[in-house]
Amino acid sequence: MNRVYAQGWAFWIGIALALLLMLMPLPAMIQPLKPYWPALVLIYWSLESTDRVSIGLAFCVGLAADLLNGALLGDQALRLAVMVFIALRFRSRLRFFPMWQQSLAVFLLLLNNHVLQTLIRAFAGDPAMPALSWLAPAVGAAIWPFVFLMLDDVNTRLRGKGARAS
Amino acid sequence: MALPQKESSPIFSDATAGTLRLIAYLALAAILMVLDHRNGWLHRARYFTAAAIVPIYKIAAAPADWVHDASTAFAQRSALIDENRQLRETLMLAEARLNRMGAVAHQNERLKQLLDTQHLLGMHAQLARLIDVQLGPTRDRVMLNVGADESVRVGQVVIDSHGVMGQIIETLPHASVAMLVVDPDHAIPVMLARNGLRGIAHGTGDPDQLVVPNLPLSSDIKPGDQWVTSGLGGRFPAGFPVGTITELRHGSSGMFLEALVKPAAELQRSGEVLLLRDQPDPVGPPAPAPEVGPPSSLAPTTAAQKPVRAQPAAPPATPPGDAP
């Protein structure tokens, strides 16, 4: 029971941190390269446990992100729902990939997400994003191993502690 | 991870159910986007959740503030001294100009009273700080720490000490969002400080560039010229610097010139900004800028350039006096 609670906390804190990181400004030069943090955290949790992340939850996180970001309401909700759907669908394969293949898969997921974003912005009549932002999925894939190892470490510790406590 | 869970997710189970659910959520998202695009629901939702949202922005902006504070704290002493001296000089210069302007403003006011028009020179402004968060994928919008409860209204003009930054497009109870002049959705009516040539400056999305399209090929214009707000349209008061021309090129049709402009305001760095209170709007278009008539050196110059222009105009008057 304890372990489930601890994991739940870790999950929500991770989501909150990802949303904060999304809002946080970077120096203007590397601004377009900023990885899409909420997506990375959601991918990790959809690989890690079956029952934690669902399409509906991704949708709600996306809505919260839209509300914070001030962009079109429903934009990120749609993109995150698609992303989590794909991640869950291929979950059993992705989990046992070696790290570099997993990174590649994350790159493809993020690239797909970027294409969707470009399409949605085009439909909404918003101006196109800077060309440099097409590198953001690559940056996301490059830091994926670190994100994965860090979240995994936190997760393992919590599980160990929870198991001892219960 | 625990092995037993693997059984509950074989590769192709629940496929149809999952797909159906995805389609349902996609439809929901599409409906939301269309409604939001049409009705601006997001704004209302943000207004009502602002009590929760604004602290989140403050938290997100905190690290950037710390970095800024730290860089101030660890800045080289000599750099600080230099900066201080520079600021002092600028202040003195500004004060000198202001004093000269004061006399002109006074005279202007008297003349205007004589003419029985509204006096537009009294400028009410409100100081605001930027909350350093990133809204949307590009940085063409900024968040300010004053909002509807501090009587900020949509449409107010945001300036810094160097020029026009943008205008308020959305207010929350204790914060507001301003669109910068470089936003591709933004346009501002401008005129050339030197000779009153009018144009409209559009944002490009590049934080260092505005563009003024559709200028006549024959117009008297060169790189280095300064654009100021023209006051047409009644949204921006006239005479605030907007930017300097960096490059002139032919537009895509070849029939007109296009001026690339570097914004005057320090859009990347401004920490504190001024919000202008809505000006008493002049009814109808303001008086036309002096475009025709005697050469521009003899013509009365525009308000913003007066102190600068008055200087070069003075020396030619004295040498003839000295010569005899």
mmCIF file of all heavy atoms in Angstrom, chain B residues 92-118:
data_model
loop_
_atom_site.group_PDB
_atom_site.id
_atom_site.type_symbol
_atom_site.label_atom_id
_atom_site.label_comp_id
_atom_site.label_asym_id
_atom_site.label_seq_id
_atom_site.Cartn_x
_atom_site.Cartn_y
_atom_site.Cartn_z
ATOM 1 N N MET B 92 22.201 61.942 -16.698
ATOM 2 C CA MET B 92 22.434 63.370 -16.812
ATOM 3 C C MET B 92 21.959 63.892 -18.164
ATOM 4 O O MET B 92 21.291 64.921 -18.249
ATOM 5 C CB MET B 92 23.913 63.678 -16.622
ATOM 6 C CG MET B 92 24.228 64.223 -15.245
ATOM 7 S SD MET B 92 25.965 64.209 -14.926
ATOM 8 C CE MET B 92 26.528 65.368 -16.148
ATOM 9 N N LEU B 93 22.333 63.119 -19.193
ATOM 10 C CA LEU B 93 21.940 63.500 -20.543
ATOM 11 C C LEU B 93 20.423 63.576 -20.643
ATOM 12 O O LEU B 93 19.848 64.551 -21.143
ATOM 13 C CB LEU B 93 22.484 62.465 -21.529
ATOM 14 C CG LEU B 93 22.590 62.906 -22.966
ATOM 15 C CD1 LEU B 93 23.603 64.016 -23.093
ATOM 16 C CD2 LEU B 93 22.990 61.716 -23.833
ATOM 17 N N ALA B 94 19.796 62.526 -20.074
ATOM 18 C CA ALA B 94 18.339 62.466 -20.146
ATOM 19 C C ALA B 94 17.717 63.636 -19.413
ATOM 20 O O ALA B 94 16.749 64.239 -19.874
ATOM 21 C CB ALA B 94 17.860 61.148 -19.552
ATOM 22 N N GLU B 95 18.320 63.968 -18.258
ATOM 23 C CA GLU B 95 17.751 65.071 -17.489
ATOM 24 C C GLU B 95 17.906 66.392 -18.228
ATOM 25 O O GLU B 95 16.993 67.222 -18.237
ATOM 26 C CB GLU B 95 18.417 65.145 -16.123
ATOM 27 C CG GLU B 95 17.648 64.357 -15.086
ATOM 28 C CD GLU B 95 18.308 64.406 -13.736
ATOM 29 O OE1 GLU B 95 19.361 65.062 -13.617
ATOM 30 O OE2 GLU B 95 17.768 63.793 -12.817
ATOM 31 N N ALA B 96 19.085 66.541 -18.849
ATOM 32 C CA ALA B 96 19.302 67.766 -19.610
ATOM 33 C C ALA B 96 18.262 67.895 -20.712
ATOM 34 O O ALA B 96 17.650 68.954 -20.893
ATOM 35 C CB ALA B 96 20.706 67.754 -20.216
ATOM 36 N N ARG B 97 18.067 66.759 -21.400
ATOM 37 C CA ARG B 97 17.076 66.786 -22.481
ATOM 38 C C ARG B 97 15.693 67.074 -21.943
ATOM 39 O O ARG B 97 14.916 67.828 -22.517
ATOM 40 C CB ARG B 97 17.033 65.425 -23.163
ATOM 41 C CG ARG B 97 18.121 65.266 -24.166
ATOM 42 C CD ARG B 97 17.941 63.956 -24.851
ATOM 43 N NE ARG B 97 19.098 63.664 -25.663
ATOM 44 C CZ ARG B 97 19.331 62.481 -26.197
ATOM 45 N NH1 ARG B 97 18.480 61.500 -25.976
ATOM 46 N NH2 ARG B 97 20.377 62.283 -26.929
ATOM 47 N N LEU B 98 15.435 66.445 -20.772
ATOM 48 C CA LEU B 98 14.116 66.590 -20.178
ATOM 49 C C LEU B 98 13.856 68.051 -19.827
ATOM 50 O O LEU B 98 12.761 68.567 -20.044
ATOM 51 C CB LEU B 98 14.049 65.713 -18.931
ATOM 52 C CG LEU B 98 12.689 65.202 -18.545
ATOM 53 C CD1 LEU B 98 12.177 64.313 -19.669
ATOM 54 C CD2 LEU B 98 12.774 64.428 -17.259
ATOM 55 N N ASN B 99 14.899 68.703 -19.283
ATOM 56 C CA ASN B 99 14.729 70.099 -18.916
ATOM 57 C C ASN B 99 14.380 70.937 -20.129
ATOM 58 O O ASN B 99 13.504 71.791 -20.091
ATOM 59 C CB ASN B 99 16.014 70.635 -18.279
ATOM 60 C CG ASN B 99 16.182 70.088 -16.887
ATOM 61 O OD1 ASN B 99 15.196 69.648 -16.291
ATOM 62 N ND2 ASN B 99 17.398 70.076 -16.391
ATOM 63 N N ARG B 100 15.119 70.621 -21.206
ATOM 64 C CA ARG B 100 14.834 71.386 -22.408
ATOM 65 C C ARG B 100 13.413 71.080 -22.905
ATOM 66 O O ARG B 100 12.677 71.966 -23.310
ATOM 67 C CB ARG B 100 15.855 71.042 -23.491
ATOM 68 C CG ARG B 100 15.856 72.083 -24.581
ATOM 69 C CD ARG B 100 16.694 71.636 -25.733
ATOM 70 N NE ARG B 100 18.114 71.728 -25.448
ATOM 71 C CZ ARG B 100 19.023 71.177 -26.250
ATOM 72 N NH1 ARG B 100 18.637 70.520 -27.325
ATOM 73 N NH2 ARG B 100 20.298 71.295 -25.982
ATOM 74 N N MET B 101 13.095 69.785 -22.832
ATOM 75 C CA MET B 101 11.754 69.369 -23.246
ATOM 76 C C MET B 101 10.682 70.029 -22.409
ATOM 77 O O MET B 101 9.604 70.352 -22.894
ATOM 78 C CB MET B 101 11.595 67.851 -23.114
ATOM 79 C CG MET B 101 11.955 67.057 -24.330
ATOM 80 S SD MET B 101 10.961 67.510 -25.728
ATOM 81 C CE MET B 101 9.469 66.595 -25.340
ATOM 82 N N GLY B 102 11.017 70.190 -21.086
ATOM 83 C CA GLY B 102 10.021 70.756 -20.173
ATOM 84 C C GLY B 102 9.523 72.097 -20.671
ATOM 85 O O GLY B 102 8.322 72.363 -20.698
ATOM 86 N N ALA B 103 10.473 72.923 -21.086
ATOM 87 C CA ALA B 103 10.102 74.250 -21.574
ATOM 88 C C ALA B 103 9.206 74.132 -22.807
ATOM 89 O O ALA B 103 8.171 74.793 -22.909
ATOM 90 C CB ALA B 103 11.358 75.048 -21.905
ATOM 91 N N VAL B 104 9.648 73.237 -23.698
ATOM 92 C CA VAL B 104 8.874 73.056 -24.925
ATOM 93 C C VAL B 104 7.483 72.538 -24.604
ATOM 94 O O VAL B 104 6.483 73.013 -25.149
ATOM 95 C CB VAL B 104 9.603 72.073 -25.865
ATOM 96 C CG1 VAL B 104 8.780 71.834 -27.106
ATOM 97 C CG2 VAL B 104 10.966 72.625 -26.221
ATOM 98 N N ALA B 105 7.430 71.561 -23.673
ATOM 99 C CA ALA B 105 6.143 70.982 -23.319
ATOM 100 C C ALA B 105 5.223 72.042 -22.736
ATOM 101 O O ALA B 105 4.034 72.097 -23.037
ATOM 102 C CB ALA B 105 6.347 69.846 -22.320
ATOM 103 N N HIS B 106 5.825 72.886 -21.889
ATOM 104 C CA HIS B 106 5.048 73.941 -21.257
ATOM 105 C C HIS B 106 4.446 74.866 -22.304
ATOM 106 O O HIS B 106 3.240 75.156 -22.309
ATOM 107 C CB HIS B 106 5.975 74.720 -20.337
ATOM 108 C CG HIS B 106 5.252 75.584 -19.364
ATOM 109 N ND1 HIS B 106 4.464 75.047 -18.361
ATOM 110 C CD2 HIS B 106 5.171 76.931 -19.254
ATOM 111 C CE1 HIS B 106 3.942 76.041 -17.678
ATOM 112 N NE2 HIS B 106 4.340 77.190 -18.193
ATOM 113 N N GLN B 107 5.328 75.253 -23.209
ATOM 114 C CA GLN B 107 4.890 76.151 -24.276
ATOM 115 C C GLN B 107 3.808 75.482 -25.118
ATOM 116 O O GLN B 107 2.769 76.089 -25.411
ATOM 117 C CB GLN B 107 6.098 76.473 -25.150
ATOM 118 C CG GLN B 107 5.824 77.486 -26.223
ATOM 119 C CD GLN B 107 7.030 77.604 -27.136
ATOM 120 O OE1 GLN B 107 7.820 76.674 -27.257
ATOM 121 N NE2 GLN B 107 7.182 78.754 -27.753
ATOM 122 N N ASN B 108 4.067 74.224 -25.422
ATOM 123 C CA ASN B 108 3.138 73.466 -26.240
ATOM 124 C C ASN B 108 1.761 73.414 -25.576
ATOM 125 O O ASN B 108 0.729 73.622 -26.217
ATOM 126 C CB ASN B 108 3.694 72.055 -26.409
ATOM 127 C CG ASN B 108 3.116 71.381 -27.621
ATOM 128 O OD1 ASN B 108 2.087 71.788 -28.106
ATOM 129 N ND2 ASN B 108 3.783 70.358 -28.088
ATOM 130 N N GLU B 109 1.815 73.163 -24.262
ATOM 131 C CA GLU B 109 0.556 73.042 -23.531
ATOM 132 C C GLU B 109 -0.237 74.346 -23.596
ATOM 133 O O GLU B 109 -1.442 74.367 -23.810
ATOM 134 C CB GLU B 109 0.877 72.695 -22.079
ATOM 135 C CG GLU B 109 -0.233 71.963 -21.386
ATOM 136 C CD GLU B 109 0.257 71.367 -20.088
ATOM 137 O OE1 GLU B 109 1.474 71.116 -19.969
ATOM 138 O OE2 GLU B 109 -0.565 71.173 -19.201
ATOM 139 N N ARG B 110 0.524 75.442 -23.431
ATOM 140 C CA ARG B 110 -0.139 76.744 -23.455
ATOM 141 C C ARG B 110 -0.773 76.999 -24.823
ATOM 142 O O ARG B 110 -1.917 77.428 -24.930
ATOM 143 C CB ARG B 110 0.872 77.836 -23.127
ATOM 144 C CG ARG B 110 0.340 78.860 -22.156
ATOM 145 C CD ARG B 110 1.409 79.820 -21.791
ATOM 146 N NE ARG B 110 2.199 80.204 -22.953
ATOM 147 C CZ ARG B 110 3.493 80.468 -22.914
ATOM 148 N NH1 ARG B 110 4.146 80.411 -21.792
ATOM 149 N NH2 ARG B 110 4.142 80.816 -24.012
ATOM 150 N N LEU B 111 0.011 76.677 -25.846
ATOM 151 C CA LEU B 111 -0.506 76.885 -27.193
ATOM 152 C C LEU B 111 -1.741 76.029 -27.428
ATOM 153 O O LEU B 111 -2.721 76.458 -28.036
ATOM 154 C CB LEU B 111 0.569 76.544 -28.229
ATOM 155 C CG LEU B 111 1.746 77.511 -28.271
ATOM 156 C CD1 LEU B 111 2.802 77.016 -29.225
ATOM 157 C CD2 LEU B 111 1.251 78.893 -28.684
ATOM 158 N N LYS B 112 -1.664 74.773 -26.915
ATOM 159 C CA LYS B 112 -2.798 73.885 -27.125
ATOM 160 C C LYS B 112 -4.022 74.361 -26.379
ATOM 161 O O LYS B 112 -5.146 74.245 -26.851
ATOM 162 C CB LYS B 112 -2.428 72.468 -26.685
ATOM 163 C CG LYS B 112 -1.670 71.734 -27.767
ATOM 164 C CD LYS B 112 -1.568 70.281 -27.470
ATOM 165 C CE LYS B 112 -1.044 69.566 -28.692
ATOM 166 N NZ LYS B 112 -0.692 68.203 -28.423
ATOM 167 N N GLN B 113 -3.761 74.907 -25.169
ATOM 168 C CA GLN B 113 -4.899 75.458 -24.433
ATOM 169 C C GLN B 113 -5.520 76.600 -25.214
ATOM 170 O O GLN B 113 -6.732 76.748 -25.270
ATOM 171 C CB GLN B 113 -4.433 75.941 -23.069
ATOM 172 C CG GLN B 113 -4.588 74.864 -22.000
ATOM 173 C CD GLN B 113 -3.969 75.294 -20.700
ATOM 174 O OE1 GLN B 113 -3.493 76.422 -20.570
ATOM 175 N NE2 GLN B 113 -3.977 74.391 -19.739
ATOM 176 N N LEU B 114 -4.622 77.392 -25.808
ATOM 177 C CA LEU B 114 -5.117 78.481 -26.636
ATOM 178 C C LEU B 114 -5.971 77.929 -27.762
ATOM 179 O O LEU B 114 -6.988 78.489 -28.124
ATOM 180 C CB LEU B 114 -3.944 79.277 -27.223
ATOM 181 C CG LEU B 114 -3.272 80.259 -26.279
ATOM 182 C CD1 LEU B 114 -2.124 80.943 -26.983
ATOM 183 C CD2 LEU B 114 -4.282 81.277 -25.790
ATOM 184 N N LEU B 115 -5.521 76.813 -28.314
ATOM 185 C CA LEU B 115 -6.263 76.213 -29.416
ATOM 186 C C LEU B 115 -7.461 75.416 -28.916
ATOM 187 O O LEU B 115 -8.219 74.866 -29.698
ATOM 188 C CB LEU B 115 -5.352 75.300 -30.228
ATOM 189 C CG LEU B 115 -4.340 76.006 -31.120
ATOM 190 C CD1 LEU B 115 -3.360 75.007 -31.689
ATOM 191 C CD2 LEU B 115 -5.050 76.747 -32.231
ATOM 192 N N ASP B 116 -7.564 75.266 -27.592
ATOM 193 C CA ASP B 116 -8.697 74.581 -26.987
ATOM 194 C C ASP B 116 -8.781 73.113 -27.437
ATOM 195 O O ASP B 116 -9.825 72.609 -27.792
ATOM 196 C CB ASP B 116 -10.020 75.280 -27.343
ATOM 197 C CG ASP B 116 -11.114 74.841 -26.382
ATOM 198 O OD1 ASP B 116 -10.751 74.412 -25.273
ATOM 199 O OD2 ASP B 116 -12.287 74.921 -26.752
ATOM 200 N N THR B 117 -7.627 72.431 -27.427
ATOM 201 C CA THR B 117 -7.661 70.992 -27.702
ATOM 202 C C THR B 117 -7.316 70.234 -26.434
ATOM 203 O O THR B 117 -6.900 70.809 -25.436
ATOM 204 C CB THR B 117 -6.633 70.619 -28.784
ATOM 205 O OG1 THR B 117 -5.348 71.086 -28.328
ATOM 206 C CG2 THR B 117 -6.971 71.242 -30.108
ATOM 207 N N GLN B 118 -7.496 68.930 -26.519
ATOM 208 C CA GLN B 118 -7.102 68.119 -25.370
ATOM 209 C C GLN B 118 -5.593 68.156 -25.269
ATOM 210 O O GLN B 118 -4.902 68.159 -26.270
ATOM 211 C CB GLN B 118 -7.515 66.668 -25.585
ATOM 212 C CG GLN B 118 -8.991 66.495 -25.765
ATOM 213 C CD GLN B 118 -9.264 65.245 -26.581
ATOM 214 O OE1 GLN B 118 -8.703 65.046 -27.646
ATOM 215 N NE2 GLN B 118 -10.137 64.412 -26.068
#
